[in-house]
Structures are given as structure tokens and as C-alpha cells.
Amino acid sequence: EDQVTQSPEALRLQEGESSSLNCSYTVSGLRGLFWYRQDPGKGPEFLFTLYSAGEEKEKERLKATLTKKESFLHITAPKPEDSATYLCAVQVGGTASKLTFGTGTRLQVML
Amino acid sequence: EAGVAQSPRYKIIEKRQSVAFWCNPISGHATLYWYQQILGQGPKLLIQFQNNGVVDDSQLPKDRFSAERLKGVDSTLKIQPAKLEDSAVYLCASSLGLGGPVTQYFGPGTRLTVL
């Protein structure tokens, strides 16, 4: 069974204090690893897709990396508006394309 | 480009009542998904449609949940009768196709409270 584990569950940072969120996975036949951001009362918002080990993608203060067992979401010099829950999900091979999600990391960035 | 639309945004019902949710995907997206997100957890897939056919409904509690996508565009998800444990946010997502990796785009969700 596909498993996705995210850590930490919650993270509080000061504005400008860089850190990383972790997503470890156990799947057979990874097709893609996805990062989403979810604000309270809203649906998940797509951030990145990573396809193969060694791949990196960046968007503003966020950088996602992928190895064969885990992915990291690095947040550089975060701002209060980066506060949200960050969800990691995997998609495996086959005809279906469902996402299996982790439980998320709740990030709070303080002034 | 308009995103995924869902209604209603909130619904409160008594247990054993029935409820229905509606979803309109992004225009041109052939694949539509319904996810259940319980507080503090990640979304869990309930059912996936490709056009108006079911691709995966292995995690749909079929004794009480049903879903349809008759014309291959919008979809409804129904719960009858509802239980307390059905309290959750129901998310609809859509993507261009199958196989992949395909990016899924989510709607705002319907928050269901069962009393």
C-alpha cells in the first residue's frame, strides 16, 4: 500500500527564518510527487510536480527537491503570507491517476 | 480561466438525512475526482471519473455514497443516509486526462457537518 508521511506536523517560524518540510514516501512505481498549499477554508492549490530523483523546482521563496525516498520543501526567508498547510501527494503508475496524500505540515510564520 | 466550482460551500444536516454536492470542473478537463478530507488529515480519493465512466471507486462506501457524471461535465455526489463520521470537507478536482503524471486542480470544497 502506498504511504506518505510528512514531518513535522506543525512548524512555527519567525519571518525570515528559513526551514524545510519533509515528505517521505513508500510506493511502487512513482509517477510523480506533488506539493500543494492549502489555506483555511479553501481547496489545495497546486505548487509543484517532481518526476524523478534529483529534480528540483523553485517558485518565489519555495524550492522542492526529490530523492528516491523523500522530498523536501525548502522555504527561504518566509513571510507571514506563507502561513498555510503544505500537503505532499504521490501518484503511481497505472491507468488511474489518484493522488495519495500525507497529513500535511501546518506552517505558521510570525512577524 | 475559471477554476473548479462547487456548491454548496457549507451544509449542516442531521444524521440519517440525505445530502448532495455539485461540482463543475475546469472546462475541457476529462477527468473528475471526489475527495473526502477529514479535519487534520490529507484528502482521500472517493471516486474518479474519466468523461462519464468510473475509473476508480474502490474507496467509496457504496452502501451510502453514490456519484454520477451523466454528460461527462458536471458531477454530483450524494450521501444517503448520513452518519456522524461523514462530517468532513468534500473536495472536487479535475485534470486534463488520465495516465500522467497529471496535475489535479481543486475546488474550494463543501464543508459537511452531520449532527
Side-chain angles (χ1 to χ4, degrees):
Chain A
E1 185 179 325
D2 303 330
Q3 284 197 319
V4 180
T5 304
Q6 292 189 246
S7 62
E9 287 187 12
L11 181 61
R12 180 179 290 184
L13 300 173
Q14 291 296 123
E15 185 175 11
E17 180 187 2
S18 302
S19 188
S20 295
L21 313 182
N22 177 263
C23 171
S24 63
Y25 60 91
T26 306
V27 301
S28 52
L30 180 72
R31 182 163 281 175
L33 185 139
F34 296 76
W35 282 98
Y36 285 84
R37 168 190 172 131
Q38 187 171 28
D39 292 294
K42 296 188 177 181
E45 174 189 347
F46 171 71
L47 293 174
F48 303 108
T49 308
L50 301 167
Y51 302 100
S52 58
E55 188 175 4
E56 299 182 352
K57 288 194 175 173
E58 288 188 65
K59 179 180 179 180
E60 296 180 358
R61 295 177 292 282
L62 301 177
K63 178 180 175 181
T65 62
L66 181 65
T67 72
K68 288 186 178 179
K69 293 183 178 181
E70 58 191 350
S71 177
F72 292 93
L73 184 65
H74 307 277
I75 304 176
T76 302
K79 298 182 177 182
E81 53 262 42
D82 295 322
S83 298
T85 295
Y86 290 86
L87 295 165
C88 168
V90 296
Q91 195 172 73
V92 298
T95 54
S97 51
K98 76 171 187 179
L99 293 174
T100 299
F101 282 87
T103 54
T105 293
R106 291 191 316 277
L107 173 66
Q108 186 176 15
V109 182
M110 315 292 288
L111 280 170
Chain B
E1 177 183 90
V4 176
Q6 290 189 248
S7 68
R9 292 296 316 276
Y10 306 92
K11 191 74 177 179
I12 301 174
I13 61 173
E14 301 278 338
K15 61 182 179 183
R16 291 188 290 273
Q17 286 186 324
S18 63
V19 63
F21 312 127
W22 174 83
C23 171
N24 187 254
I26 293 172
S27 177
H29 281 195
T31 311
L32 184 147
Y33 314 77
W34 283 102
Y35 287 84
Q36 179 192 59
Q37 186 175 25
I38 294 172
L39 187 65
Q41 298 182 18
K44 182 187 82 172
L45 181 73
L46 292 174
I47 188 167
Q48 176 182 340
F49 292 94
Q50 172 73 3
N51 295 311
N52 59 351
V54 175
V55 175
D56 183 356
D57 63 356
S58 57
Q59 297 191 85
L60 186 73
K62 299 181 184 65
D63 57 333
R64 299 183 300 105
F65 286 65
S66 64
E68 60 184 12
R69 193 184 184 199
L70 292 176
K71 297 182 180 179
V73 181
D74 56 353
S75 174
T76 56
L77 175 70
K78 296 179 182 177
I79 307 175
Q80 182 179 13
K83 292 185 175 181
L84 296 177
E85 58 261 37
D86 298 331
S87 293
V89 175
Y90 291 84
L91 295 163
C92 179
S94 69
S95 66
L96 273 173
L98 267 184
V102 291
T103 299
Q104 297 179 23
Y105 298 91
F106 286 81
T110 297
R111 181 177 298 277
L112 174 67
T113 302
V114 182
L115 302 175

